[in-house]
Amino acid sequence: MMACLLEAPLRISVLSEVTATSRHYVDRLFDPDPQNVLQGVIDMKNAVIGNNRQKANLIVLGAVPRLLYLLQQSSSSLELRTECAVVLGSLAMGTENNIKSLVDCHIIPALLQGLLCSDLIFIEACLRCLRTVFISPVTPVQLLYTDPTVIPHLMSLLSRSQHTQEYITQIFAHCCKTPEHQTVLFNHGAIQNIAPLLISPSYKVRMQALKCFSVLAYENAQVSMTLVNVLVDGEQLFQVFVRMLQRDKPIEMQLTAAKCLTYMCRAGAIRTDDNSIVLKTLPCLVRMCSKERLLEERVEGAETLAFLMEPDIELQRIASVTDHLVSMLADYFKYPSSVSAITDIKRLDHDLKHAHELRQAAFKLYASLGSNDEDIRKKITETENMMDRIVSGLSESSIKVRLAAVRCLHSLSRSVQQLRTSFHDHAVWKPLMKLLQNAPDEVLVMASSTLCNLLLEFSPSKEPILESGVIELLCSLTQSDSPALRVNGIWALMNMAFQADQKVKVEIVRALGTEQLFRLLSDPDTNVLMKTLGLLRNLLSTRPHIDQVMSSHGKQIMQAVTLILEGEHSIEVKEQTLCILANIADGNTAKELIMTNDDMLQKIKYYMGHSNVKLQLAATFCISNLVWNEEDGEELRTRSQERQDKLREMGFVDILHKLTQASDPNLCDRAKTAMQQYLA
């Protein structure tokens, strides 16, 4: 019992002792004798090296504001100012909390001010500290861009020494995060100033310069197009990148050079069939996926490769047969790190914590590989346990893994064969539906796109999904603020209504509600409008269905059709609307809604004489259905006779006659078919 009592005071005294020795360092910073202050700063420098606790104590005791004051005083000697910058740099090397404290004390403007001094050693000390502060994830990168004179001044310091080159390029590489940042750096001559550094004698300088180009070129056509024409010592810049891909270069250099070439290629500055891509960049990135590489190299390699070939089927085909890539990726789910890489327990611990990044990267790469080619998709789904892995990926705790898994599933769902086989065998729709319940928008967009494919009429998953109450869910998506989600919600409903039985159609109309249906028909997004018209066309597909829907909603549907045909819409939208009208004209009772609407008949007439053949064809279809001779029963025959007479009086026969001479064979045939109804 006694021992425990002694324990606490002891701890306190040890702590206060540490603080006391730290306080002594801080007190010396206030000594009236400048020589003592300098010695105090030097002693402090030696005390904090490698000692995080000492760093934290000094920060708590208020050393930072005093050091910054001394650094900025013109009366301080250069030596003192330089030593202050070195100590601050050392404090910044500690924990993230240290960096936060330094930034809160306005260290960045003070150090940037220091760069205006002419002394190189002092400038290097300030830059070294700035570099350490800026590469920390807790520092807001925007602080580099607050004062517009900073970037041009940093550019001018690049020529001073190898150290200034290394630190400044490292700062640029870390602080270039947005298109605006890229533009600022580009406009201040980043390319011309940094390109010569790629052949610097210092590896660190070459490496940081290379990293700068990778962040400058990412998704930036302006930078990429400029890079193609840059010469470094008489050699084309992208050839310098290609040289850096060679196997004898450090992995970090190979990977970053591959990124530069990838980004230039994606921006259209290098062709996808160029040898530098097909024979150099792609094989280099595939090498990075091997299980001999470190976890972060495998992650970056796979993600960069996925990005490189995303839009290009040829690159996807080449990659799929390079070094057994498809089966090599299966290892991403097994080994967080290769046995040869685990030299210490720390590495193993790190890799186990980051194993989800490997899975995310593998899913992304599979998604990219399988986005176009049927054979590659087959190869992927036949890889050991692949579908099970995707299914478990859909419910992982990491949002990034879930997103990548659903991207992979979406890519594979473009295959009719996979929808009919592996998707059905693994009841993929179940976890997918679960994912749709409360996911963030980017996951919802991918998951609902995949669902659209699972609802195609040849997909065996369509039935069980219908029974699972999916209609309500899709109707709620159509009310989203995101146009992509509205499109997917209505698209899935459109697929669901295709050749569906009456029960499903009635349920869709009920769940969506006529108000929402008509709101979607005036949606500002053309894709939403097109899919809504597609849904309407599928709802109005067989005679009994057409008559039933039109008897309950005819007035509103005719109103919507009028509005669209009168509005400023594309040819595609108007064609789809006329096709809906042609379906209505095919109904038994629904026909009358057009026949009694002279305004609508005039519109059909106008489109029969339109300059666009697609619209002429769709309008002629309407008339063809209206004049169709009914076989059954006296009454129906009389009614079709009346319709034919009315349309003849309105001049439709003359127009049909003219269209039988049309140069478009389809239009000509359609007009002849309609004319035959008059002769029958």
Side-chain angles (χ1 to χ4, degrees):
M1 203 54 204
M2 284 303 288
C4 295
L5 285 175
L6 276 173
E7 213 34 70
L10 240 175
R11 273 207 204 116
I12 292 167
S13 64
V14 171
L15 193 64
S16 56
E17 202 177 304
V18 173
T19 328
T21 57
S22 306
R23 184 170 294 288
H24 148 77
Y25 287 115
V26 180
D27 292 342
R28 289 169 68 190
L29 298 179
F30 293 88
D31 195 294
D33 180 352
Q35 211 39 53
N36 289 350
V37 175
L38 176 62
Q39 197 49 54
V41 176
I42 291 170
D43 290 348
M44 188 186 275
K45 173 178 76 176
N46 295 330
V48 295
I49 290 174
N51 186 337
N52 272 352
R53 187 179 215 170
Q54 184 68 278
K55 289 175 188 178
N57 285 335
L58 290 171
I59 290 173
V60 169
L61 293 168
V64 177
R66 183 64 184 169
L67 287 166
L68 286 171
Y69 172 78
L70 295 169
L71 178 112
Q72 291 172 285
Q73 278 307 93
S74 52
S75 56
S76 301
S77 68
L78 248 180
E79 190 182 358
L80 174 59
R81 293 172 72 191
T82 305
E83 290 294 351
C84 286
V86 172
V87 174
L88 288 163
S90 196
L91 293 177
M93 289 292 226
T95 62
E96 287 187 351
N97 279 337
N98 294 8
I99 301 255
K100 276 194 185 119
S101 309
L102 293 171
V103 173
D104 290 344
C105 290
H106 306 295
I107 187 172
I108 291 174
L111 291 169
L112 290 171
Q113 194 60 37
L115 298 179
L116 298 171
C117 171
S118 58
D119 182 79
L120 182 59
I121 302 198
F122 176 60
I123 287 177
E124 287 180 352
C126 289
L127 281 172
R128 191 178 308 116
C129 183
L130 277 167
R131 179 270 316 261
T132 308
V133 172
F134 271 122
I135 64 176
S136 162
V138 298
T139 307
V141 294
Q142 208 42 49
L143 292 171
L144 185 66
Y145 303 94
T146 319
D147 176 347
T149 63
V150 168
I151 301 287
H153 185 58
L154 288 172
M155 292 290 177
S156 71
L157 292 175
L158 276 171
S159 55
R160 293 291 297 272
S161 72
Q162 276 185 16
H163 286 305
T164 64
Q165 290 169 354
E166 180 194 334
Y167 304 144
I168 292 171
T169 46
Q170 196 172 359
I171 290 169
F172 286 162
H174 264 274
C175 295
C176 183
K177 302 279 190 206
T178 67
E180 292 73 41
H181 297 162
Q182 290 174 327
T183 304
V184 171
L185 291 168
F186 178 82
N187 289 343
H188 284 110
I191 294 179
Q192 301 82 311
N193 285 302
I194 299 171
L197 307 184
L198 287 170
I199 52 172
S200 159
S202 151
Y203 171 74
K204 283 181 173 173
V205 172
R206 291 200 301 278
M207 200 51 236
Q208 293 306 335
L210 189 57
K211 284 186 173 166
C212 269
F213 283 122
S214 81
V215 293
L216 282 168
Y218 178 66
E219 293 197 328
N220 191 312
Q222 184 187 31
V223 171
S224 298
M225 291 300 186
T226 309
L227 290 179
V228 182
N229 301 315
V230 173
L231 293 176
V232 182
D233 204 20
E235 185 181 18
Q236 280 186 304
L237 178 67
F238 84 97
Q239 290 302 345
V240 177
F241 293 153
V242 171
R243 264 214 329 276
M244 292 174 156
L245 290 176
Q246 289 164 355
R247 287 168 188 255
D248 58 348
K249 297 285 187 287
I251 293 295
E252 174 189 35
M253 182 174 267
Q254 291 185 43
L255 196 44
T256 314
K259 278 182 166 178
C260 291
L261 289 159
T262 293
Y263 301 157
M264 288 170 73
C265 176
R266 280 300 305 266
I270 305 176
R271 288 169 53 113
T272 51
D273 56 2
D274 190 277
N275 281 348
S276 64
I277 299 297
V278 178
L279 303 180
K280 304 285 185 186
T281 310
L282 187 141
C284 168
L285 289 169
V286 173
R287 284 202 302 277
M288 296 302 148
C289 298
S290 113
K291 65 168 186 260
E292 300 312 310
R293 301 266 56 86
L294 289 174
L295 178 135
E296 42 274 39
E297 292 160 0
R298 294 166 78 194
V299 169
E300 240 178 290
E303 294 196 335
T304 309
L305 182 54
F307 185 65
L308 172 65
M309 60 188 182
E310 203 173 3
D312 193 271
I313 188 166
E314 265 323 297
L315 289 178
Q316 290 158 13
R317 285 179 178 150
I318 295 165
S320 72
V321 294
T322 304
D323 289 353
H324 308 291
L325 177 63
V326 175
S327 52
M328 184 150 66
L329 282 178
D331 290 339
Y332 275 46
F333 297 92
K334 293 186 234 168
Y335 314 108
S337 41
S338 69
V339 181
S340 58
I342 305 176
T343 43
D344 60 301
I345 202 75
K346 242 172 148 177
R347 180 81 219 175
L348 178 64
D349 185 50
H350 166 273
D351 283 7
L352 289 170
K353 280 200 186 87
H354 293 268
H356 66 276
E357 291 176 24
L358 274 178
R359 295 194 292 278
Q360 171 198 319
F363 283 139
K364 273 189 187 167
L365 187 42
Y366 277 136
S368 189
L369 270 171
S371 55
N372 291 297
D373 186 287
E374 196 55 47
D375 294 335
I376 301 176
R377 289 186 195 125
K378 192 166 183 295
K379 211 167 169 181
I380 293 171
T381 47
E382 285 170 0
T383 307
E384 46 181 326
N385 309 337
M386 193 56 214
M387 292 309 285
D388 295 333
R389 286 189 177 129
I390 296 176
V391 167
S392 53
L394 293 175
S395 54
E396 274 205 38
S397 58
S398 155
I399 180 77
K400 288 184 168 172
V401 178
R402 292 206 298 275
L403 181 58
V406 80
R407 267 177 70 174
C408 182
L409 195 61
H410 178 246
S411 184
L412 298 172
S413 75
R414 291 178 176 157
S415 152
V416 176
Q417 190 194 1
Q418 296 311 326
L419 283 174
R420 283 189 169 148
T421 54
S422 45
F423 273 59
H424 187 51
D425 301 342
H426 291 81
V428 166
W429 65 271
K430 283 184 186 164
L432 191 65
M433 289 286 292
K434 202 168 144 208
L435 193 61
L436 280 161
Q437 300 308 324
N438 52 359
D441 273 11
E442 51 179 348
V443 175
L444 271 181
V445 169
M446 269 298 150
S448 52
S449 291
T450 311
L451 194 61
C452 286
N453 292 344
L454 289 177
L455 286 167
L456 289 163
E457 103 272 15
F458 50 74
S459 158
S461 311
K462 182 174 178 175
E463 281 311 308
I465 294 176
L466 271 177
E467 286 156 23
S468 73
V470 71
I471 295 180
E472 298 287 346
L473 178 90
L474 296 173
C475 291
S476 68
L477 287 183
T478 69
Q479 297 179 0
S480 164
D481 291 338
S482 146
L485 285 178
R486 292 203 300 280
V487 168
N488 287 350
I490 201 76
W491 193 341
L493 289 169
M494 179 187 95
N495 286 352
M496 194 183 277
F498 182 72
Q499 293 181 354
D501 44 24
Q502 186 61 8
K503 189 168 91 209
V504 174
K505 291 183 179 179
V506 169
E507 179 54 24
I508 290 174
V509 175
R510 187 203 60 73
L512 193 58
T514 41
E515 248 182 73
Q516 177 61 5
L517 182 62
F518 295 110
R519 201 176 295 129
L520 291 166
L521 284 172
S522 54
D523 198 284
D525 188 290
T526 306
N527 287 330
V528 176
L529 177 56
M530 278 298 281
K531 296 290 177 252
T532 310
L533 291 168
L535 168 64
L536 203 49
R537 192 173 164 181
N538 286 349
L539 290 172
L540 297 165
S541 60
T542 66
R543 274 191 181 171
H545 295 181
I546 295 168
D547 289 335
Q548 191 182 349
V549 174
M550 292 307 287
S551 68
S552 47
H553 305 293
K555 195 169 162 229
Q556 291 154 301
I557 290 174
M558 292 300 282
Q559 238 172 341
V561 167
T562 306
L563 281 174
I564 293 171
L565 291 178
E566 284 176 356
E568 291 289 318
H569 291 289
S570 66
I571 297 292
E572 287 70 33
V573 167
K574 295 202 165 177
E575 180 192 13
Q576 187 77 300
T577 309
L578 286 166
C579 289
I580 289 172
L581 207 53
N583 283 9
I584 296 170
D586 190 38
N588 281 329
T589 53
K591 276 185 171 61
E592 295 309 316
L593 285 162
I594 303 176
M595 288 307 301
T596 54
N597 185 334
D598 284 6
D599 176 49
M600 189 61 83
L601 290 170
Q602 290 300 340
K603 283 189 174 51
I604 296 173
K605 195 191 236 178
Y606 165 75
Y607 283 109
M608 283 173 79
H610 198 277
S611 58
N612 185 289
V613 125
K614 285 181 174 173
L615 297 183
Q616 284 183 290
L617 199 57
T620 308
F621 232 118
C622 293
I623 289 302
S624 180
N625 282 347
L626 289 175
V627 300
W628 204 259
N629 284 311
E630 296 299 343
E631 306 301 322
D632 333 326
E634 191 58 41
E635 192 191 342
L636 285 177
R637 276 204 293 278
T638 313
R639 291 234 297 276
S640 63
Q641 190 60 55
E642 285 167 3
R643 284 196 303 274
Q644 289 182 3
D645 294 346
K646 176 172 180 176
L647 293 170
R648 173 179 284 139
E649 279 163 33
M650 288 182 73
F652 277 98
V653 175
D654 301 339
I655 301 175
L656 284 172
H657 190 70
K658 216 158 75 197
L659 291 179
T660 55
Q661 319 289 303
S663 55
D664 182 85
N666 291 337
L667 185 56
C668 176
D669 286 350
R670 177 54 51 197
K672 281 179 182 162
T673 309
M675 285 294 283
Q676 276 161 6
Q677 298 303 310
Y678 275 97
L679 307 171

